[in-house]
Amino acid sequence: MAHTRFPHDLIETQQDLVRAYARLARSAPGGSTELRRRVIRLSSRVAAHPYWSSPAGAGGSLGELRAPAREGRAGGGSP
């Protein structure tokens, strides 16, 4: 698999999404509305990021984005 370089802001958004999803998974039933909304909002930002429609993003995938997001590295893309 080719190494894809993702923009720093896209990786940060994916990292925020992972953290929000983990908090949602640990939350008590009934008090998670705001966390669910945050997960949806962050998911939408990741999916609608301009990177995916750029020539650089043509070969990228969400699966490839998750690895650098988990590792906490930005991959040297644009700020």
Side-chain angles (χ1 to χ4, degrees):
M1 173 183 343
H3 176 67
T4 304
R5 298 172 72 81
F6 295 98
H8 185 69
D9 64 320
L10 179 56
I11 291 178
E12 284 182 339
T13 303
Q14 178 66 29
Q15 289 170 333
D16 289 346
L17 174 58
V18 168
R19 286 188 293 266
Y21 192 83
R23 283 193 302 270
L24 178 61
R26 293 187 308 264
S27 69
S32 59
T33 301
E34 186 54 39
L35 283 172
R36 284 195 315 270
R37 288 180 181 157
R38 180 160 174 76
V39 166
I40 291 168
R41 198 168 42 248
L42 291 167
S43 296
S44 297
R45 281 189 203 159
V46 168
H49 193 280
Y51 170 79
W52 302 116
S53 60
S54 72
S61 73
L62 288 173
E64 291 177 283
L65 172 62
R66 290 181 185 116
R70 278 191 213 113
E71 296 168 11
R73 61 182 168 82
S78 59

